[in-house]
Amino acid sequence: MTTPRKLGRNGPEVFPIGLGCMGMSEFYGAHDDAESIRTIHHALDHGVNLLDTADIYGPHTNEQLVGRALAGGRRDKVVLATKFGIVRDPSNPTARGVNGRPEYVRAACDASLKRLGVDHIDLYYQHRIDPDTPIEDTVGAMADLVKAGKVRWIGLSEAGVETIERAHAVHPVTALQTEYSLWTRDVDENGIMATCERLGIGFVPYSPLGRGFLTGAIRTPDDFEADDYRRTNPRFMGENFARNLQLVDAVRALASEKGCSPAQLALAWVLTRGEHVVPIPGTRRVANLDDNLGALGVTLSAQDLARIDAIFPLGAAAGTRYAAAMMQFLSR
Protein backbone atom coordinates (compact mmCIF):
# COMPACT_ATOMS: atom_id res chain seq x y z
CA MET A 1 0.00 0.00 0.00
CA THR A 2 1.28 3.46 -0.92
CA THR A 3 1.96 5.70 2.08
CA PRO A 4 0.32 9.12 1.70
CA ARG A 5 2.23 12.34 2.20
CA LYS A 6 1.08 15.32 4.21
CA LEU A 7 0.87 18.74 2.61
CA GLY A 8 1.80 21.24 5.24
CA ARG A 9 1.89 20.88 8.99
CA ASN A 10 -1.90 21.09 9.23
CA GLY A 11 -2.83 20.25 5.66
CA PRO A 12 -4.34 17.26 3.88
CA GLU A 13 -2.86 13.83 3.34
CA VAL A 14 -2.45 13.11 -0.36
CA PHE A 15 -1.15 10.43 -2.68
CA PRO A 16 2.61 10.95 -3.22
CA ILE A 17 2.07 11.91 -6.87
CA GLY A 18 -0.66 14.30 -7.99
CA LEU A 19 -1.99 15.12 -11.44
CA GLY A 20 -1.44 18.42 -13.21
CA CYS A 21 -4.33 19.12 -15.55
CA MET A 22 -3.09 22.22 -17.44
CA GLY A 23 -2.03 20.43 -20.63
CA MET A 24 -5.47 18.89 -20.97
CA SER A 25 -6.75 22.26 -22.19
CA GLU A 26 -3.89 24.38 -23.50
CA PHE A 27 -0.20 25.03 -24.21
CA TYR A 28 0.84 21.55 -25.40
CA GLY A 29 -1.00 21.23 -28.70
CA ALA A 30 -4.24 19.46 -29.56
CA HIS A 31 -6.33 17.96 -26.79
CA ASP A 32 -9.31 15.67 -26.40
CA ASP A 33 -11.62 16.35 -23.45
CA ALA A 34 -13.02 12.84 -23.41
CA GLU A 35 -9.53 11.34 -23.24
CA SER A 36 -8.55 13.80 -20.52
CA ILE A 37 -11.58 12.90 -18.40
CA ARG A 38 -10.75 9.20 -18.79
CA THR A 39 -7.24 9.98 -17.56
CA ILE A 40 -8.57 11.87 -14.52
CA HIS A 41 -10.92 8.99 -13.69
CA HIS A 42 -8.09 6.49 -14.11
CA ALA A 43 -5.95 8.55 -11.75
CA LEU A 44 -8.69 8.60 -9.10
CA ASP A 45 -9.21 4.86 -9.49
CA HIS A 46 -5.51 4.33 -8.74
CA GLY A 47 -5.41 6.45 -5.62
CA VAL A 48 -4.29 9.79 -7.03
CA ASN A 49 -6.28 12.44 -5.18
CA LEU A 50 -4.49 15.78 -5.71
CA LEU A 51 -5.77 17.42 -8.89
CA ASP A 52 -4.27 20.73 -9.98
CA THR A 53 -5.82 23.35 -12.26
CA ALA A 54 -6.00 27.16 -12.52
CA ASP A 55 -8.32 29.80 -13.88
CA ILE A 56 -5.73 30.89 -16.47
CA TYR A 57 -5.64 27.48 -18.16
CA GLY A 58 -7.80 27.72 -21.25
CA PRO A 59 -8.48 30.34 -19.96
CA HIS A 60 -11.23 28.97 -17.71
CA THR A 61 -11.93 25.83 -19.74
CA ASN A 62 -9.59 23.62 -17.70
CA GLU A 63 -11.52 24.29 -14.51
CA GLN A 64 -14.72 23.43 -16.35
CA LEU A 65 -13.16 20.20 -17.62
CA VAL A 66 -12.02 19.17 -14.14
CA GLY A 67 -15.47 20.03 -12.80
CA ARG A 68 -17.09 17.72 -15.35
CA ALA A 69 -14.65 14.94 -14.46
CA LEU A 70 -15.59 15.20 -10.78
CA ALA A 71 -19.34 15.24 -11.33
CA GLY A 72 -21.32 12.17 -10.35
CA GLY A 73 -19.95 11.48 -6.90
CA ARG A 74 -16.20 11.83 -7.38
CA ARG A 75 -15.73 15.19 -5.65
CA ASP A 76 -15.21 13.71 -2.20
CA LYS A 77 -12.26 11.62 -3.42
CA VAL A 78 -10.22 14.68 -4.36
CA VAL A 79 -8.05 17.36 -2.86
CA LEU A 80 -8.94 19.95 -5.47
CA ALA A 81 -6.39 22.70 -6.10
CA THR A 82 -6.81 25.73 -8.31
CA LYS A 83 -5.13 29.12 -8.64
CA PHE A 84 -5.83 32.79 -9.24
CA GLY A 85 -3.71 35.83 -9.98
CA ILE A 86 -2.39 35.59 -13.53
CA VAL A 87 -4.44 37.84 -15.79
CA ARG A 88 -4.56 37.40 -19.55
CA ASP A 89 -5.18 40.09 -22.14
CA PRO A 90 -7.94 38.95 -24.54
CA SER A 91 -6.45 41.11 -27.29
CA ASN A 92 -2.95 39.64 -26.86
CA PRO A 93 -2.90 35.92 -25.97
CA THR A 94 0.80 36.02 -25.06
CA ALA A 95 0.55 38.93 -22.62
CA ARG A 96 0.32 38.31 -18.87
CA GLY A 97 -0.38 40.46 -15.84
CA VAL A 98 -0.72 39.73 -12.13
CA ASN A 99 -3.50 40.80 -9.77
CA GLY A 100 -3.47 40.13 -6.04
CA ARG A 101 -5.89 42.82 -4.89
CA PRO A 102 -8.38 41.59 -2.26
CA GLU A 103 -11.44 42.38 -4.36
CA TYR A 104 -9.95 40.42 -7.25
CA VAL A 105 -9.16 37.46 -4.97
CA ARG A 106 -12.80 37.26 -3.85
CA ALA A 107 -14.19 37.57 -7.37
CA ALA A 108 -11.73 35.03 -8.79
CA CYS A 109 -12.64 32.49 -6.11
CA ASP A 110 -16.37 32.81 -6.75
CA ALA A 111 -15.78 32.41 -10.49
CA SER A 112 -13.64 29.30 -9.98
CA LEU A 113 -16.21 27.73 -7.67
CA LYS A 114 -18.85 28.20 -10.35
CA ARG A 115 -16.72 26.79 -13.16
CA LEU A 116 -15.66 23.80 -11.08
CA GLY A 117 -19.22 23.18 -9.92
CA VAL A 118 -18.19 22.80 -6.27
CA ASP A 119 -19.02 24.55 -3.02
CA HIS A 120 -15.41 24.81 -1.82
CA ILE A 121 -11.85 24.67 -3.09
CA ASP A 122 -9.52 22.51 -1.04
CA LEU A 123 -6.23 24.25 -1.87
CA TYR A 124 -6.30 27.77 -3.31
CA TYR A 125 -3.02 29.19 -4.62
CA GLN A 126 -1.94 32.68 -5.54
CA HIS A 127 -0.50 31.78 -8.93
CA ARG A 128 2.05 34.61 -9.08
CA ILE A 129 2.89 37.35 -6.60
CA ASP A 130 1.56 40.84 -7.34
CA PRO A 131 4.36 43.38 -6.66
CA ASP A 132 1.82 46.19 -6.45
CA THR A 133 -0.26 44.60 -3.68
CA PRO A 134 1.21 43.79 -0.25
CA ILE A 135 1.22 40.05 0.27
CA GLU A 136 -0.46 40.66 3.63
CA ASP A 137 -3.49 42.12 1.83
CA THR A 138 -3.72 39.23 -0.64
CA VAL A 139 -3.32 36.53 1.99
CA GLY A 140 -5.72 38.38 4.27
CA ALA A 141 -8.38 38.07 1.57
CA MET A 142 -7.52 34.39 1.13
CA ALA A 143 -7.84 33.89 4.89
CA ASP A 144 -11.31 35.45 4.70
CA LEU A 145 -12.22 32.83 2.08
CA VAL A 146 -11.15 30.13 4.53
CA LYS A 147 -13.32 31.67 7.25
CA ALA A 148 -16.24 31.78 4.81
CA GLY A 149 -15.86 28.06 4.03
CA LYS A 150 -15.09 28.66 0.36
CA VAL A 151 -11.46 27.49 0.72
CA ARG A 152 -9.91 24.93 3.09
CA TRP A 153 -6.18 25.63 2.72
CA ILE A 154 -4.14 28.32 1.01
CA GLY A 155 -0.98 28.18 -1.05
CA LEU A 156 1.46 30.29 -3.02
CA SER A 157 3.19 29.64 -6.33
CA GLU A 158 6.65 30.84 -7.34
CA ALA A 159 7.05 33.01 -4.22
CA GLY A 160 10.38 34.07 -2.75
CA VAL A 161 11.59 33.45 0.80
CA GLU A 162 10.61 36.84 2.25
CA THR A 163 7.16 36.66 0.65
CA ILE A 164 6.57 33.16 2.01
CA GLU A 165 7.52 34.25 5.52
CA ARG A 166 5.32 37.36 5.40
CA ALA A 167 2.38 35.39 4.02
CA HIS A 168 2.76 32.63 6.60
CA ALA A 169 2.67 35.21 9.39
CA VAL A 170 -0.82 36.28 8.25
CA HIS A 171 -2.30 32.81 7.73
CA PRO A 172 -0.63 29.37 7.59
CA VAL A 173 0.53 28.55 4.07
CA THR A 174 -0.18 24.90 3.40
CA ALA A 175 1.72 24.46 0.14
CA LEU A 176 4.15 26.19 -2.16
CA GLN A 177 3.97 25.26 -5.83
CA THR A 178 7.10 25.96 -7.82
CA GLU A 179 8.82 24.43 -10.81
CA TYR A 180 11.25 21.74 -9.68
CA SER A 181 12.93 18.86 -11.46
CA LEU A 182 16.35 17.53 -12.35
CA TRP A 183 16.84 20.49 -14.67
CA THR A 184 15.20 23.19 -12.49
CA ARG A 185 16.74 23.10 -9.03
CA ASP A 186 16.69 26.79 -8.10
CA VAL A 187 14.90 26.15 -4.79
CA ASP A 188 17.81 24.06 -3.56
CA GLU A 189 20.11 27.07 -3.59
CA ASN A 190 17.89 30.13 -3.05
CA GLY A 191 16.55 29.09 0.36
CA ILE A 192 13.00 28.31 -0.75
CA MET A 193 13.08 24.55 -0.09
CA ALA A 194 14.72 25.11 3.29
CA THR A 195 12.10 27.74 4.18
CA CYS A 196 9.26 25.33 3.38
CA GLU A 197 10.83 22.67 5.59
CA ARG A 198 11.39 25.14 8.43
CA LEU A 199 7.85 26.52 8.34
CA GLY A 200 6.11 23.19 7.78
CA ILE A 201 4.90 24.03 4.27
CA GLY A 202 4.29 21.31 1.70
CA PHE A 203 6.25 21.61 -1.54
CA VAL A 204 4.45 20.84 -4.81
CA PRO A 205 6.78 20.67 -7.82
CA TYR A 206 5.15 21.44 -11.15
CA SER A 207 6.80 20.35 -14.41
CA PRO A 208 8.76 17.64 -12.54
CA LEU A 209 9.45 16.04 -15.93
CA GLY A 210 10.86 19.21 -17.46
CA ARG A 211 7.77 19.87 -19.57
CA GLY A 212 8.14 16.39 -21.00
CA PHE A 213 11.81 16.66 -21.95
CA LEU A 214 12.99 14.38 -19.13
CA THR A 215 10.82 11.54 -20.46
CA GLY A 216 13.29 11.10 -23.31
CA ALA A 217 10.45 11.06 -25.85
CA ILE A 218 11.28 14.48 -27.32
CA ARG A 219 14.15 14.22 -29.79
CA THR A 220 13.74 17.32 -31.95
CA PRO A 221 11.76 20.59 -31.81
CA ASP A 222 9.82 19.22 -34.78
CA ASP A 223 8.17 16.79 -32.34
CA PHE A 224 6.06 19.72 -31.11
CA GLU A 225 2.80 20.73 -32.74
CA ALA A 226 2.69 24.17 -34.32
CA ASP A 227 0.86 25.77 -31.39
CA ASP A 228 2.91 24.07 -28.65
CA TYR A 229 4.34 26.83 -26.47
CA ARG A 230 7.58 24.87 -25.93
CA ARG A 231 8.64 26.02 -29.39
CA THR A 232 9.27 29.43 -27.81
CA ASN A 233 10.72 28.19 -24.52
CA PRO A 234 14.47 28.93 -24.32
CA ARG A 235 15.38 25.42 -23.16
CA PHE A 236 13.81 23.90 -26.25
CA MET A 237 15.46 26.20 -28.78
CA GLY A 238 18.64 26.03 -30.84
CA GLU A 239 21.87 25.08 -29.10
CA ASN A 240 20.08 24.86 -25.75
CA PHE A 241 17.95 22.02 -27.08
CA ALA A 242 21.01 20.07 -28.24
CA ARG A 243 22.86 20.58 -24.95
CA ASN A 244 19.87 19.59 -22.87
CA LEU A 245 19.27 16.53 -25.02
CA GLN A 246 22.73 15.28 -24.06
CA LEU A 247 21.76 15.54 -20.38
CA VAL A 248 18.52 13.67 -21.00
CA ASP A 249 20.32 10.92 -22.90
CA ALA A 250 22.55 10.37 -19.86
CA VAL A 251 19.41 10.04 -17.73
CA ARG A 252 17.96 7.58 -20.24
CA ALA A 253 21.09 5.44 -19.97
CA LEU A 254 20.90 5.37 -16.17
CA ALA A 255 17.18 4.57 -16.29
CA SER A 256 17.90 1.68 -18.62
CA GLU A 257 20.39 0.30 -16.09
CA LYS A 258 17.77 0.60 -13.36
CA GLY A 259 15.12 -1.11 -15.48
CA CYS A 260 12.76 1.85 -15.41
CA SER A 261 11.70 4.60 -17.78
CA PRO A 262 13.44 8.01 -17.81
CA ALA A 263 10.23 9.60 -16.49
CA GLN A 264 10.14 7.16 -13.59
CA LEU A 265 13.77 7.90 -12.73
CA ALA A 266 13.17 11.66 -12.85
CA LEU A 267 10.07 11.43 -10.66
CA ALA A 268 11.71 9.02 -8.23
CA TRP A 269 14.50 11.58 -7.79
CA VAL A 270 11.97 14.31 -6.97
CA LEU A 271 10.27 12.03 -4.45
CA THR A 272 13.56 11.57 -2.58
CA ARG A 273 13.76 15.28 -1.80
CA GLY A 274 11.55 15.04 1.28
CA GLU A 275 8.34 13.61 2.65
CA HIS A 276 6.72 17.03 2.26
CA VAL A 277 7.30 16.96 -1.53
CA VAL A 278 4.37 15.96 -3.80
CA PRO A 279 5.04 16.39 -7.54
CA ILE A 280 2.19 16.98 -9.99
CA PRO A 281 3.30 15.69 -13.40
CA GLY A 282 0.77 16.55 -16.06
CA THR A 283 -0.51 14.24 -18.75
CA ARG A 284 -3.57 13.78 -20.93
CA ARG A 285 -3.07 10.07 -21.50
CA VAL A 286 -3.67 6.99 -19.36
CA ALA A 287 -0.49 5.26 -20.56
CA ASN A 288 1.67 8.19 -19.49
CA LEU A 289 -0.11 8.37 -16.15
CA ASP A 290 0.59 4.68 -15.51
CA ASP A 291 4.23 5.19 -16.41
CA ASN A 292 4.48 8.12 -13.99
CA LEU A 293 2.91 6.15 -11.16
CA GLY A 294 5.52 3.45 -11.74
CA ALA A 295 8.03 5.86 -10.19
CA LEU A 296 6.69 4.81 -6.79
CA GLY A 297 8.29 1.42 -7.36
CA VAL A 298 11.74 2.81 -8.16
CA THR A 299 14.28 2.86 -5.32
CA LEU A 300 17.31 5.08 -5.69
CA SER A 301 20.38 4.22 -3.66
CA ALA A 302 22.88 6.75 -2.38
CA GLN A 303 25.11 5.71 -5.28
CA ASP A 304 22.28 6.27 -7.76
CA LEU A 305 21.62 9.75 -6.34
CA ALA A 306 25.32 10.61 -6.56
CA ARG A 307 25.39 9.54 -10.21
CA ILE A 308 22.29 11.59 -10.96
CA ASP A 309 23.84 14.62 -9.28
CA ALA A 310 26.96 14.15 -11.39
CA ILE A 311 24.82 14.10 -14.55
CA PHE A 312 22.48 16.90 -13.52
CA PRO A 313 24.20 19.21 -11.04
CA LEU A 314 22.65 22.52 -10.06
CA GLY A 315 22.47 24.82 -13.07
CA ALA A 316 23.21 22.10 -15.64
CA ALA A 317 20.28 22.89 -17.94
CA ALA A 318 20.95 25.28 -20.81
CA GLY A 319 18.61 28.25 -21.10
CA THR A 320 16.20 29.97 -18.75
CA ARG A 321 13.04 28.09 -17.79
CA TYR A 322 10.74 30.75 -19.25
CA ALA A 323 11.08 33.50 -21.82
CA ALA A 324 12.13 36.87 -20.38
CA ALA A 325 8.57 38.23 -20.15
CA MET A 326 7.59 35.46 -17.73
CA MET A 327 10.86 35.22 -15.79
CA GLN A 328 10.07 38.57 -14.16
CA PHE A 329 7.16 36.98 -12.29
CA LEU A 330 9.22 34.33 -10.47
CA SER A 331 10.40 34.16 -6.85
CA ARG A 332 9.02 37.54 -5.82
Side-chain angles (χ1 to χ4, degrees):
M1 182 176 178
T2 301
T3 303
R5 294 190 169 191
K6 193 170 178 63
L7 274 185
R9 198 164 281 152
N10 301 305
E13 287 193 342
V14 296
F15 196 79
I17 296 176
L19 177 61
C21 299
M22 180 188 79
M24 295 177 177
S25 298
E26 198 179 11
F27 301 115
Y28 292 137
H31 53 273
D32 180 330
D33 285 357
E35 181 180 29
S36 294
I37 289 174
R38 282 195 299 272
T39 299
I40 291 173
H41 289 171
H42 187 78
L44 299 181
D45 290 343
H46 286 75
V48 176
N49 65 338
L50 178 61
L51 297 184
D52 185 89
T53 181
D55 58 7
I56 186 182
Y57 304 155
H60 308 319
T61 55
N62 194 243
E63 286 185 324
Q64 294 167 348
L65 172 71
V66 171
R68 293 200 304 275
L70 296 183
R74 292 183 172 88
R75 171 66 181 98
D76 291 343
K77 296 181 178 180
V78 170
V79 175
L80 179 59
T82 192
K83 314 178 202 72
F84 73 92
I86 299 181
V87 181
R88 299 175 71 162
D89 182 351
S91 64
N92 181 1
T94 64
R96 301 287 187 271
V98 178
N99 192 339
R101 294 192 297 273
E103 62 273 20
Y104 180 80
V105 177
R106 291 188 288 267
C109 180
D110 286 343
S112 286
L113 288 168
K114 185 175 181 179
R115 285 189 292 267
L116 289 162
V118 299
D119 62 6
H120 72 278
I121 294 162
D122 295 308
L123 178 55
Y124 200 39
Y125 292 100
Q126 183 180 15
H127 207 160
R128 294 292 186 271
I129 304 303
D130 180 357
D132 298 322
T133 303
I135 189 64
E136 290 82 359
D137 293 352
T138 303
V139 173
M142 297 171 76
D144 288 342
L145 295 173
V146 175
K147 293 174 187 174
K150 295 181 178 181
V151 169
R152 295 190 68 189
W153 298 284
I154 72 168
L156 303 175
S157 180
E158 293 287 1
V161 169
E162 181 184 359
T163 300
I164 296 168
E165 291 175 337
R166 288 168 55 195
H168 198 67
V170 174
H171 186 280
V173 175
T174 292
L176 177 75
Q177 183 175 139
T178 292
E179 184 176 352
Y180 187 61
S181 68
L182 281 173
W183 78 347
T184 299
R185 300 178 58 179
D186 313 48
V187 300
D188 287 333
E189 57 182 350
N190 62 15
I192 288 174
M193 183 69 88
T195 298
C196 288
E197 292 186 63
R198 174 169 53 85
L199 297 178
I201 297 172
F203 186 78
V204 179
Y206 72 84
S207 295
L209 296 177
R211 297 180 174 83
F213 208 3
L214 296 174
T215 67
I218 299 167
R219 308 306 299 169
T220 167
D222 292 334
D223 289 336
F224 301 132
E225 295 180 39
D227 58 347
D228 191 312
Y229 104 99
R230 287 172 291 187
R231 285 183 173 270
T232 61
N233 182 288
R235 291 190 176 173
F236 293 89
M237 300 172 70
E239 292 184 6
N240 289 345
F241 187 101
R243 288 171 58 190
N244 290 330
L245 191 60
Q246 292 178 346
L247 295 171
V248 171
D249 283 344
V251 170
R252 289 179 67 185
L254 181 55
S256 179
E257 288 182 32
K258 294 286 294 180
C260 65
S261 71
Q264 289 169 349
L265 184 78
L267 284 173
W269 179 86
V270 171
L271 290 166
T272 68
R273 310 311 283 179
E275 289 299 316
H276 66 304
V277 177
V278 180
I280 49 168
T283 184
R284 298 172 293 205
R285 299 179 178 89
V286 167
N288 292 343
L289 174 67
D290 285 340
D291 187 59
N292 291 344
L293 296 182
L296 295 170
V298 176
T299 300
L300 298 178
S301 67
Q303 182 181 15
D304 292 331
L305 293 172
R307 291 180 66 188
I308 291 170
D309 272 341
I311 294 169
F312 249 121
L314 284 164
T320 57
R321 56 190 178 104
Y322 284 106
M326 287 300 292
M327 287 296 292
Q328 65 178 317
F329 296 128
L330 306 180
S331 297
R332 284 174 165 168

